[in-house]
Amino acid sequence: MGTTVQELGAAVRHARKQQGLDQLLLADLAGVSDRFLRDLEHGKPTVRLKEVLRVLDALGLTLQVRPR
């Protein structure tokens, strides 16, 4: 997915579009606000991890942590 918040947001946006979802529908499926999803997709650095994980789960994505 990359190493920056902007890359994470771009990956979420790409996956959402690939699945034919608009922001409102994905936000509803993930249980987050549409404002949160917009912030995430635009790379806002202060998004909450708990909600990020909900969005990733709704898209069928996982977050991977590994040594550099």
Side-chain angles (χ1 to χ4, degrees), residues 36-66:
F36 173 84
L37 187 57
R38 282 193 307 276
D39 288 347
L40 173 59
E41 287 189 0
H42 285 101
K44 183 176 179 182
T46 58
V47 293
R48 295 175 136 190
L49 181 58
K50 181 178 179 180
E51 282 82 10
V52 170
L53 295 174
R54 287 155 103 182
V55 171
L56 295 178
D57 186 55
L59 289 169
L61 302 175
T62 60
L63 182 65
Q64 186 177 46
V65 178
R66 57 193 161 120

Side-chain angles (χ1 to χ4, degrees), residues 21-34:
L21 302 171
D22 64 28
Q23 287 180 331
L24 289 174
L25 181 54
L26 177 55
D28 187 51
L29 291 171
V32 299
S33 70
D34 57 316

Side-chain angles (χ1 to χ4, degrees), residues 1 8-22 26 41 55-56 58-61:
M1 251 189 238
L8 175 61
V12 166
R13 183 173 39 258
H14 178 75
R16 175 180 60 76
K17 289 182 177 186
Q18 286 287 343
Q19 294 180 33
L21 302 171
D22 64 28
L26 177 55
E41 287 189 0
V55 171
L56 295 178
L59 289 169
L61 302 175

